[in-house]
């Protein structure tokens, strides 16, 4: 009883925790940030007024008499009152002079950071504002030490004047100028590495040489590609043993028959240790991030000339989240029984039963080998001369009966070998943990564009593939056989290898519970419609709209590839990173998009052709533009997996099914009906399927991974797909009330006319408003004849040529 009471008390929140708990509340942060912003505006008012009223208030403020300053009739003329005059006099006169305005800028940035208005790197602002405050204070104090004596305030503050006098006495006037110039150059290098490029051109007189160079030669040089793909460093934390040398593939057990007896020679199976890279830090280049991540541009259809961008370092698509850390291996669970072991008694018993069963039907074998996997053992037999393969294939059920095992599968013959394979389930199967495959050296050192690791083969090798080369995957299997775990393995392996700037997911979950765990990473990895709905699409109507929106994105990307004169997304992104595409023409960095659909059969039953048609379009065309699909169903029937779907999904994953006809529907051959379940699957891509034991990644492990990602800085919004307007969604403007115009109507109209681009997402992004409100403003603009009707994926035509034309139309409205 005492232990229970002690345990209960130990979990009770302490007084300190109760007091400090509200400090972590988001509402408290917003109120605190708002207060800081208001205080910075108050200081700005005090500083501005100080330059006009400071001379008159100087005697009152310098007296420092609290009674005079607190009195109602203190005769202080500063617009911010006596306290504002005191603060302005202290910061400007006694501290940093005109450089004190950087203090106001930093306070405003801190307030906006707490309010989460914008994504801000606070430590960079702190360093930058601190260095600029000190530098400008010394600069003004040194430059105006002879000219500011007649002013009522110190231009550089007392700090700047004292430091300038001391430096002048130590290194002289020329030395101070050189010191100021040198520190300024170092600061510009800190802000942007392209400063080095400018300095090299300046010191090497590159601007003179470029003028003398012929035009043809200059064009030739400009079209040469710059640095290659950007590699991102990952550091995986794994406690335990040091890295061992990679082991070779495990050799099979050789079972040599000698008459009626069999001799067994065994070499232990090898397992792959977790990969632990050497700790290293590589500085990633900081590029000028003037290009937005997700603009909605329309590229002209005509061919454009080769763009010669400014001589800058390669564009870094990850700069917005440059402090992003990839998930660590220790977030995943380690199982004690995932090491490969061999039960010699079980192997000898199975070997004897296989030999006796074949001999009872008059089939002699010359050799037998066994390869032990995590859940299945493959016995390779070499039949004697004159034995037909079909005779052995027909004995599948008899061998299963004698071995008293379910899931016997005969491979006759094994491709590339002159043997016949008999796959027998192990009595004590081993769990293939997600940690063992994702932490393997093969996965960590892979150079695939979209690496996906599924599990381990019969030979205990880590099985993985590149989703870009598949390019779409069909997953099928009966209920409870491991489809959801397989989808988790696919998504998790991509989360471990790709940066949020490189990959986006569109998750469709009609069951509403399978993918809900990924909703917390919506600002990192998820792509949604711009209507502010749930990040995981569960409503059938939203599914149809989302898939059609993906088709619009696909068409838009093909327009960009056509304008860039490239054939696929890899060439396009490489060209954009090397700054050979003009962002003003609508070019942008394209992340890969992976569409994952669970319970595809339910969507077909409820939506039918409305779902199948966009999926077929995406499957047929989207490979080149980096859009890939993974669909899963538990009903692999011909009315669900139609011929159109099968023709465009060459890569297929089959978990256990109940009937042979279902296996033929998925794989065009039997075999999936002979699997043992619990993650046992066949992967088909090409001629022959590969048997794989899927890695077990449980829900708590996925939850830890998503929490690790969600705690880090993300983008302000999810990746918005382009808006889609259906054939029946024409411009019906009868219900638009022009008598109640939106308060942002005039500003939005001016924005549209200035940019000459009628896009709802442009209004939404510039004014930071929701999609519905931006759509209503666009409808009002259309009814006012400022923009034209919708044109599908293209922006609306702007009917006003300039602001004068807009002013006339606005007057007519009034």
């Amino acid at each position: 009883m005492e232990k229970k009471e002690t345990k209960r008390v130990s979990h009770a929140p302490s007084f300190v925790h109760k007091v400090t708990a509200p400090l972590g509340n988001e509402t408290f942060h917003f109120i605190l940030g708002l207060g800081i912003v208001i205080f910075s505006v108050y200081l700005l008012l005090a500083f501005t007024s100080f330059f006009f009223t400071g001379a008159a208030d100087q005697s009152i403020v310098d007296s420092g008499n609290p009674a005079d300053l607190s009195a109602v009739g203190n005769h202080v003329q500063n617009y911010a009152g006596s306290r504002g005059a005191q603060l302005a006099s202290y910061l400007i006169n006694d501290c940093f002079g005109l450089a004190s305005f950087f203090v106001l800028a930093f306070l405003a940035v801190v307030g906006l950071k707490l309010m989460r208005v914008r994504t801000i790197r606070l430590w960079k602002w702190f360093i930058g504002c601190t260095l600029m405050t000190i530098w400008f204070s010394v600069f003004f104090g040194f430059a105006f030490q002879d000219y500011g004596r007649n002013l009522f305030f110190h231009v550089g503050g007392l700090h700047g004047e004292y430091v300038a006098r001391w430096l002048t006495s130590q290194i002289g006037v020329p030395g101070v100028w050189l010191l100021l110039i040198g520190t300024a150059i170092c600061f510009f290098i800190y802000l942007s590495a392209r400063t080095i490029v400018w300095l090299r051109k300046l010191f090497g007189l590159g601007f003179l040489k470029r003028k003398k160079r012929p035009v043809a030669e200059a064009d030739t040089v400009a079209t040469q590609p710059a640095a290659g793909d950007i590699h991102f460093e990952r550091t995986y934390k794994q406690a335990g043993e040091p890295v061992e040398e990679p082991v070779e593939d495990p050799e099979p057990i050789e079972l040599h028959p000698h008459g009626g007896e069999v001799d067994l020679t065994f070499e232990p199976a090898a397992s792959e240790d977790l990969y632990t890279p050497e700790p290293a830090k590589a500085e990633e280049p900081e590029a000028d991030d003037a290009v937005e991540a997700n603009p909605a541009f329309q590229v002209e259809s005509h061919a454009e000339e080769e763009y010669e961008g400014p001589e800058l370092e390669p564009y870094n698509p990850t700069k917005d989240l440059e402090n992003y850390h990839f998930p660590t291996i220790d977030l995943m669970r380690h199982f004690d029984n995932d090491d490969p072991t061999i039960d010699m008694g079980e192997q000898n018993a199975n070997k004897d039963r296989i030999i006796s069963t074949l001999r009872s039907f008059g089939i002699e074998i010359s050799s037998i080998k066994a390869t032990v996997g995590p859940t299945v053992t493959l016995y390779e037999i070499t039949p004697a001369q004159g034995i037909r393969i079909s005779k052995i294939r027909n004995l599948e059920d008899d061998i299963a009966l004698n071995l008293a095992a379910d899931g016997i599968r005969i491979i006759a013959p094994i491709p590339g070998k002159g043997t016949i394979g008999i796959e027998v389930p192990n009595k004590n199967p081993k769990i293939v943990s997600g940690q063992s495959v994702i932490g393997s050296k093969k996965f960590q050192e892979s150079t695939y564009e979209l690496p996906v690791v599924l599990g381990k083969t019969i030979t205990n090798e880590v099985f993985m593939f590149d989703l870009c080369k598949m390019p779409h995957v069909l997953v099928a299997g009966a209920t409870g056989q491991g489809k959801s775990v397989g989808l988790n393995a696919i998504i998790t392996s991509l989360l471990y290898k790709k940066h949020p700037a490189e990959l986006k997911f569109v998750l469709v979950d009609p069951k509403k519970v399978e993918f809900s765990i990924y909703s917390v990473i919506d600002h990192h990895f998820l792509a949604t419609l711009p209507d502010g709905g749930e990040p995981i699409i569960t409503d059938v109507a939203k599914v149809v709209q989302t898939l059609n929106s993906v088709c619009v994105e696909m068409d838009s990307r093909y327009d960009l590839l056509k304008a860039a004169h490239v054939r696929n997304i890899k060439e396009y992104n490489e060209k954009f990173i090397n700054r050979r595409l003009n962002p003003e023409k609508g070019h942008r960095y394209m992340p890969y998009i992976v569409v994952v659909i669970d319970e595809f059969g339910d969507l077909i039953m409820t939506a039918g052709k409305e779902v199948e048609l966009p999926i077929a379009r995406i499957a047929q065309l989207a490979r080149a533009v980096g859009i890939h699909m993974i669909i899963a169903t538990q009903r692999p029937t011909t009315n669900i997996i139609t011929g159109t779907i099968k023709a465009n999904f060459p890569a297929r994953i089959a978990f256990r099914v109940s009937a042979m006809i279902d296996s033929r529907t998925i794989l065009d051959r039997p075999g999936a009906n002979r699997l043992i379940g619990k993650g046992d699957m066949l992967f088909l891509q090409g001629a022959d399927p590969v048997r794989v034991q899927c890695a077990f990644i449980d829900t708590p492990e996925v939850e830890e991974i998503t929490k690790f990602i969600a705690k880090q800085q993300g983008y302000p919004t999810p990746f918005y797909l382009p808006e889609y307007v259906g054939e029946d969604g024409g411009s019906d403007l009868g219900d638009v009330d022009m008598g109640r115009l939106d308060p942002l109507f005039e500003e939005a109209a001016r924005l549209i006319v200035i940019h000459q681009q009628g896009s709802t997402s442009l209004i939404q992004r510039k004014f930071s408003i929701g999609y519905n409100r931006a759509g209503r403003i666009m409808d009002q603009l259309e009814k006012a004849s400022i923009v034209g009707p919708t044109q599908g994926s293209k922006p609306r035509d702007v009917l006003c040529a300039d602001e004068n034309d807009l002013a006339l139309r606005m007057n007519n409205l009034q």
Side-chain angles (χ1 to χ4, degrees), residues 298 552 555 559 722-727 729-731 756-760 778 782 786-799:
Q298 174 64 26
V552 174
D555 295 334
D559 290 337
E723 52 186 312
Y724 169 75
V725 179
E727 296 178 358
S731 56
Q756 287 294 305
Q757 180 183 349
S759 172
T760 305
M778 186 61 70
E782 180 181 352
I786 297 174
V787 298
T790 58
Q791 305 180 51
S793 62
K794 300 180 180 179
R796 300 170 183 251
D797 293 330
V798 181
L799 305 180

Side-chain angles (χ1 to χ4, degrees), residues 258-309:
H258 298 286
E261 300 296 330
V262 177
D263 296 333
L264 181 64
T265 58
F266 166 70
E267 292 185 10
S271 62
E272 190 169 2
D273 292 334
L274 291 184
Y275 176 66
T276 309
E278 292 293 331
K281 293 185 179 180
E283 294 184 358
E284 292 185 331
E286 294 186 3
D288 184 19
D289 201 12
V291 184
E292 296 184 8
N294 186 21
F297 288 115
Q298 174 64 26
V299 180
E300 297 177 358
S301 60
H302 62 80
E304 61 180 21
E305 297 180 358
E306 184 73 15
Y307 172 67
E308 181 181 346

Side-chain angles (χ1 to χ4, degrees), residues 762-805:
L762 176 65
I763 298 175
Q764 182 184 1
R765 188 169 63 250
K766 292 298 182 182
F767 296 110
S768 300
I769 59 177
Y771 177 78
N772 295 331
R773 184 181 178 186
R776 287 193 297 269
I777 295 175
M778 186 61 70
D779 291 339
Q780 293 174 356
L781 292 173
E782 180 181 352
K783 194 162 187 179
S785 299
I786 297 174
V787 298
T790 58
Q791 305 180 51
S793 62
K794 300 180 180 179
R796 300 170 183 251
D797 293 330
V798 181
L799 305 180
C800 294
D802 51 24
E803 294 191 52
N804 294 330
D805 190 8

Side-chain angles (χ1 to χ4, degrees), residues 561-579:
L561 261 64
K562 176 184 176 183
H565 308 295
V566 294
R567 298 182 61 185
N568 54 57
I569 185 175
K570 186 176 181 181
E571 296 176 3
Y572 179 90
N573 283 339
E574 182 178 357
K575 208 170 183 180
F576 186 83
I577 286 174
N578 293 328
R579 299 189 183 273

Side-chain angles (χ1 to χ4, degrees), residues 238 271-275 329-340 374 430-444 453-457 460-464 496 693-697 701:
Q238 176 64 34
S271 62
E272 190 169 2
D273 292 334
L274 291 184
Y275 176 66
I329 298 298
D330 53 7
L331 296 173
M332 308 190 78
R333 183 180 173 188
H334 174 73
F335 293 91
D336 295 333
N337 66 337
D338 61 352
D339 296 327
K430 306 298 180 183
I431 297 177
V432 177
S433 64
Q435 186 187 70
S436 63
V437 294
I438 290 182
S440 64
K441 186 174 182 180
K442 181 177 181 181
F443 178 74
Q444 296 300 330
V453 61
L454 288 180
K456 291 186 177 181
T457 62
N460 277 302
E461 295 177 347
V462 174
F463 182 81
M464 58 182 297
Y496 264 89
Q693 177 60 40
C694 183
F696 179 69
I697 302 178
E701 298 177 71

